[in-house]
Amino acid sequence: MSLVPARQAPPPARIEKPRIGLALGGGGARGLAHLVVLEALEEMGLAPATVSGTSIGSIFGAGVAAGLPARYMRAHVEELLSERYGLIRQLLSARPRPVDHLFNLFPMRSALLDAEVMLDLLLPSRLPATIEQLAVPLSIVATDFYAQEAVVIRTGPLKRAIAASIALPVIFSPVMIAGRALLDGGLVDPLPFELVREGADITIAVDVSGAAGQPSDDSGPRALEALFSASQILQRSIVREQLRSHRPDILVDTASEGVGVLDFHRFREILAAAEPAKEALKRQLERVLAADTVVASDKT
């Protein structure tokens, strides 16, 4: 009697370019560091297959989902925040000038700024009008004020969805969508990596929640600083709780400590501080791509 070796199942196929799920978190001005992470992916020839974004992460998430090059987005941001655009810098630093012709930019009944009107000044013209027109699926997180729950927006007008996600209370008016009053998504899900797990081989989450810096004297935080930083304390706490139960495959911490929510005028400092995170992400991805255990996901 002869023995026939049992047929072995073929080894799982390795993938050279995994499907990446990219989650970009909220963090105010610290979110400018998302640009450096997007540059890392671009330099490695990798593009996300699905994207999620909260607050400022929804802005850059929309850019990458639209196929805009990271270098283009960086140039756009640097031009907006340069000395040539002093009014834009003032708007983003919550020091608005009372100029009447700013298209009702300051609806003082409910907040300081109208997010959707401000986005008309800030967003690149190359973004499409609707989420459905994006090249890559995008999930945008906002907070339903009355229901006190997360709302994930995957269809409809892109600018309005972003406006809802960035609508930090006091600074921006709530955005009404389908009868819901929507606010900053960072209040409920500041790092939405669970939204990109399905259909992804690797999930990358970029945490820009950061922490407030120590004051130079004993006076403590000023009233406005305390008000805005309170939301960042909340976001930091939510992220810590998220990571205790689930973790993305790769977590990027951009280390923008001591940067305030509205410190957009420090954009060069923020981008420079994120460079080590960029190189660390590249090393992590290189190890993942070289590992024999990297196989095609069976997720759908």
Side-chain angles (χ1 to χ4, degrees):
M1 183 175 71
S2 61
L3 297 178
V4 179
R7 176 176 295 179
Q8 296 181 348
R14 294 183 68 247
I15 49 176
E16 296 301 323
K17 289 189 177 180
R19 291 173 296 176
I20 293 174
L22 179 65
L24 302 179
R30 289 188 282 265
L32 295 174
H34 286 314
L35 285 167
V36 176
V37 173
L38 298 181
E39 288 173 345
L41 294 175
E42 190 172 276
E43 289 167 10
M44 295 185 70
L46 299 172
T50 179
V51 182
S52 64
T54 291
S55 198
I56 192 169
S58 71
I59 296 177
F60 293 116
V64 70
L68 301 185
R71 62 184 179 278
Y72 167 81
M73 288 188 277
R74 182 173 185 143
H76 180 80
V77 165
E78 289 179 341
E79 185 176 36
L80 281 175
L81 298 177
S82 69
E83 293 296 338
R84 293 170 52 201
Y85 289 80
L87 177 57
I88 296 295
R89 297 178 72 226
Q90 288 191 0
L91 290 175
L92 293 175
S93 298
R95 294 187 294 272
R97 291 167 17 182
V99 183
D100 293 335
H101 63 274
L102 286 180
F103 315 107
N104 295 319
L105 196 58
F106 311 111
M108 296 304 291
R109 181 182 64 84
S110 57
L112 191 63
L113 303 173
D114 183 302
E116 195 166 0
V117 173
M118 191 186 75
L119 288 174
D120 284 332
L121 302 175
L122 300 182
L123 291 181
S125 59
R126 290 167 58 179
L127 286 179
T130 68
I131 298 174
E132 293 92 332
Q133 292 173 301
L134 294 168
V136 171
L138 174 65
S139 300
I140 293 177
V141 180
T143 301
D144 186 318
F145 176 78
Y146 293 108
Q148 299 181 15
E149 63 185 13
V151 175
V152 181
I153 307 171
R154 295 188 172 100
T155 61
L158 178 60
K159 182 176 66 176
R160 173 150 288 205
I162 295 172
S165 189
I166 70 170
L168 185 68
V170 179
I171 292 291
F172 296 113
S173 303
V175 176
M176 300 302 298
I177 297 180
R180 291 178 145 186
L182 302 183
L183 293 170
D184 187 353
L187 299 173
V188 287
D189 192 357
L191 191 59
F193 58 88
E194 292 291 342
L195 298 179
V196 295
R197 282 190 182 278
E198 187 174 358
D201 303 301
I202 299 173
T203 56
I204 301 174
V206 187
D207 181 13
V208 294
S209 57
Q214 291 293 325
S216 56
D217 52 38
D218 295 330
S219 61
R222 291 172 293 180
L224 196 61
E225 179 186 2
L227 176 64
F228 296 143
S229 295
S231 68
Q232 296 306 114
I233 295 171
L234 170 65
Q235 291 186 31
R236 194 75 165 168
S237 298
I238 294 173
V239 169
R240 282 198 295 263
E241 288 302 314
Q242 283 179 303
L243 296 176
R244 284 177 182 169
S245 56
H246 298 90
R247 296 185 70 88
D249 297 306
I250 296 176
L251 177 64
V252 181
D253 188 337
T254 56
S256 299
E257 301 296 328
V259 176
V261 178
L262 300 174
D263 285 347
F264 287 92
H265 61 287
R266 298 170 62 184
F267 67 96
R268 292 187 179 89
E269 178 185 342
I270 295 167
L271 293 173
E275 283 295 326
K278 173 181 180 179
E279 296 308 315
L281 173 59
K282 283 185 172 182
R283 290 192 297 270
Q284 284 181 285
L285 282 170
E286 286 168 355
R287 286 197 297 269
V288 169
L289 293 175
D292 290 335
T293 55
V294 180
V295 298
S297 171
D298 58 1
K299 299 174 184 177
T300 58

